[in-house]
Amino acid sequence: MRTIVAGNWKMNLEAASAARLLDDLGTWSVQRTTEVEMIVAPPFPFLSMAVDQARRARGMTVAAQNCHYEESGAFTGEVGVPMLKSLGVGACIVGHSERREFFGETDVLIGRKILLLLQHGLTPIYCCGEKREDREAGRHREVVAQQIKGALAMVPATGTAQIVVAYEPVWAIGTGLTATPAQAQEMHAFIRHELKQFAGPAAQDIPILYGGSCKPDNARGLFVGADINGGLIGGAALQAGPFRELIEIAEEVKCPH
Ligand code: PGA
């Protein structure tokens, strides 16, 4: 099973600070083993710089944070999957709760993005997760099952087998609240079970990352979960130190020598 630690920078950093962070991660990567895959997802303006750095690094993939569901055309301000591919970007986050909440993205629209990414050979990192009120009402499983079904219904099983999923309870994102290891493992196992409907037995090998205030001080407990295959990290991915530490923790927990 793959283990992945991905950094979602969101709308943070500027050219100089982005270059410094990439440079630090790239330099560090050449001395490490690459059992844990590192993914960096900077904002669009820094993707090119990130791809250059990844070419010199080891085990580093660059992801975009978003893409459009059409290949190209009159969509002012949008970025197309073929553009990302032509730069050397290997993956793309889709369905992040911030895109669902602030940009009105629906499961169907997210499903179209997933299809297009797969057609172009990029890995979709599909985010799902319930809101606080869903959890409090005991609807968290139902909500996440619906998100998975809504986005993957039109994706062929062979395509679904290629995706990476991130379980990100919305109440834990950027809040300092984290799902307990037991809550996270329970949801990851549930997600894997749901994925079987769409990917068949290959669901066993789909990496499912945990996201939501995952930091070096709580990562170990989360990463030990049998169905937790790494993390999608926001705040703690903006500095090289904590991000490297998270990768090292994942390595210790998932790939003991
Ligand atoms: P956070 O963000 O680690 O800052 O909570 C995670 C995410 O939104 O991907």
Side-chain angles (χ1 to χ4, degrees):
M1 169 57 92
R2 296 161 66 193
T3 303
I4 301 171
V5 176
N8 173 12
W9 297 8
K10 308 192 180 183
M11 197 173 75
N12 291 298
L13 306 185
E14 295 179 2
S17 47
R20 273 198 303 277
L21 177 52
L22 289 167
D23 193 49
D24 185 312
L25 295 175
T27 309
W28 171 75
S29 74
V30 293
Q31 308 144 20
R32 71 176 194 99
T33 63
T34 52
E35 282 159 304
V36 174
E37 299 171 45
M38 161 166 49
I39 299 183
V40 287
F44 289 129
F46 311 139
L47 285 176
S48 214
M49 174 161 62
V51 169
D52 282 348
Q53 190 61 248
R55 289 203 175 107
R56 293 193 292 272
R58 284 182 67 206
M60 185 196 265
T61 299
V62 178
Q65 296 174 19
N66 183 31
C67 62
H68 197 263
Y69 54 84
E70 293 283 356
E71 302 229 343
S72 63
F75 299 103
T76 302
E78 291 294 315
V79 172
V81 175
M83 296 172 195
L84 299 173
K85 185 175 183 172
S86 69
L87 278 183
V89 171
C92 182
I93 297 171
V94 285
H96 193 279
S97 61
E98 287 149 19
R99 301 253 10 130
R100 294 178 192 262
E101 178 166 354
F102 304 128
F103 302 95
E105 294 200 5
T106 61
D107 291 323
V108 171
L109 179 136
I110 295 161
R112 291 180 65 183
K113 294 184 182 195
I114 292 175
L115 266 181
L116 194 59
L117 286 162
L118 289 168
Q119 277 160 18
H120 287 277
L122 275 78
T123 303
I125 304 172
Y126 174 60
C127 305
C128 56
E130 80 285 357
K131 294 185 179 161
R132 182 201 289 263
E133 57 267 29
D134 299 322
R135 163 100 16 202
E136 283 170 358
R139 290 193 295 265
H140 44 291
R141 283 184 215 85
E142 201 180 312
V143 166
V144 169
Q146 188 48 48
Q147 288 173 338
I148 292 172
K149 185 168 162 218
L152 298 181
M154 57 184 168
V155 179
T158 47
T160 301
Q162 305 301 313
I163 73 173
V164 170
V165 173
Y167 169 59
E168 299 208 308
V170 180
W171 48 272
I173 297 179
T175 57
L177 294 173
T178 323
T180 63
Q183 283 172 326
Q185 167 54 30
E186 192 244 33
M187 283 307 282
H188 281 233
F190 173 74
I191 290 169
R192 194 175 304 289
H193 177 264
E194 292 299 297
L195 287 170
K196 286 198 179 115
Q197 289 173 45
F198 303 96
Q204 217 40 52
D205 299 317
I206 296 179
I208 307 176
L209 316 182
Y210 171 80
S213 300
C214 182
K215 304 205 159 40
D217 61 4
N218 58 27
R220 197 174 296 273
L222 291 160
F223 292 169
V224 290
D227 290 288
I228 301 178
N229 310 113
L232 178 55
I233 318 298
L238 292 173
Q239 285 178 314
F243 191 59
R244 287 193 315 245
E245 218 181 309
L246 283 162
I247 295 172
E248 279 164 353
I249 293 168
E251 212 145 73
E252 273 168 48
V253 174
K254 294 294 190 192
C255 323
H257 292 290

